[in-house]
């Protein structure tokens, strides 16, 4: 019995060591990026991104918790606009602030997650004319603390968040093109 217990403990210690070693090889920062072409001018796309009140029309995160509480503050739109949310375990709690929003070019957002986990990232939407449309690129980047690196051993952040960005860009396309 003692040998079995010792073997189980050894397996657990080895598994933990492997996870910690793998985590230590993960990068100190992460970046997720997706883009899509929307058949509209940057001037027609920009207002839906630079105004948090419009995000309900396209953001994939707006429908995850129907009872989510939203608070808007600061400027009405553009630089200085703020948006806070408080939701269930599907959406958590956080805060966003538009740091920069030169008209029809890009929107830079300070993105702070407070619950389910704490993270402080930057999101950016870049709008570039392309043919008869606009290429919208949505990125999120930030530091990866060691606990995040451990999570990245088991979770592919690019795939998880990238899928949401793809859905959001498709929704944005529908909202603008309709």
């Amino acid at each position: 019995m003692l040998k079995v217990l010792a073997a189980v403990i050894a397996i657990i210690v080895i598994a933990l060591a492997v996870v910690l070693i793998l985590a230590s090889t993960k990068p100190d920062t992460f970046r997720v990026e997706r883009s899509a072409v929307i058949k509209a001018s940057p001037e027609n796309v920009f207002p839906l991104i630079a105004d948090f009140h419009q995000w309900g029309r396209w953001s994939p995160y707006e429908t995850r918790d129907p009872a989510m509480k939203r608070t808007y503050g600061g400027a009405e739109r553009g630089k200085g606009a703020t948006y806070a949310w408080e939701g269930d375990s599907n959406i958590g709690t956080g805060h966003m602030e538009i740091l920069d929003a030169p008209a029809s070019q890009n929107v830079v957002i300070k993105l702070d997650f407070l619950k389910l986990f704490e993270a402080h990232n930057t999101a950016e939407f870049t709008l570039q004319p392309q043919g008869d449309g606009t290429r919208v690129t949505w990125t999120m980047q930030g530091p990866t603390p060691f606990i995040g690196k451990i999570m990245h051993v088991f979770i592919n952040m690019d795939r998880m968040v990238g899928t949401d960005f793809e859905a959001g860009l498709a929704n944005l396309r529908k909202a603008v093109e309709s």
Side-chain angles (χ1 to χ4, degrees):
M1 179 68 160
L2 194 55
K3 287 183 182 183
V4 172
L5 183 59
V8 169
I9 290 173
I11 290 170
I12 291 171
V13 168
I14 291 169
L16 183 59
V18 167
V19 168
L20 294 174
I21 290 167
L22 289 173
S24 70
T25 68
K26 298 295 181 184
D28 293 333
T29 60
F30 78 94
R31 179 180 174 91
V32 176
E33 178 178 309
R34 296 293 187 275
S35 64
V37 176
I38 297 175
K39 292 184 181 181
S41 69
E43 293 78 18
N44 289 333
V45 177
F46 182 78
L48 274 74
I49 299 170
D51 182 349
F52 288 133
H53 298 91
Q54 298 297 319
W55 282 42
R57 295 177 58 191
W58 62 269
S59 173
Y61 304 108
E62 290 293 321
T63 57
R64 295 245 169 98
D65 175 9
M68 180 171 67
K69 295 180 180 115
R70 298 163 181 85
T71 306
Y72 302 93
E76 183 68 20
R77 68 186 61 80
K79 186 175 180 177
T82 63
Y83 172 71
W85 70 92
E86 186 177 337
D88 63 14
S89 62
N90 292 312
I91 202 71
T93 300
H95 178 269
M96 295 190 288
E97 178 181 357
I98 297 178
L99 300 178
D100 196 20
S104 304
Q105 295 176 17
N106 73 328
V107 178
V108 179
I109 300 169
K110 178 182 171 197
L111 176 57
D112 295 315
F113 298 99
L114 306 173
K115 291 179 185 174
L116 301 166
F117 55 90
E118 185 173 347
H120 305 283
N121 303 317
T122 301
E124 183 170 2
F125 293 85
T126 304
L127 289 74
Q128 299 173 316
Q130 184 173 337
D132 65 346
T134 302
R135 175 166 295 281
V136 179
T137 303
W138 186 357
T139 62
M140 181 172 67
Q141 58 192 5
T144 307
F146 195 73
I147 190 73
K149 292 179 181 188
I150 292 171
M151 289 173 53
H152 288 188
V153 169
F154 302 101
I155 298 170
N156 183 320
M157 183 78 154
D158 184 75
R159 189 176 319 136
M160 182 178 75
V161 175
T163 301
D164 290 340
F165 284 12
E166 290 164 6
L169 290 168
N171 294 342
L172 184 61
R173 178 185 298 122
K174 288 178 195 169
V176 173
E177 293 179 0
S178 62

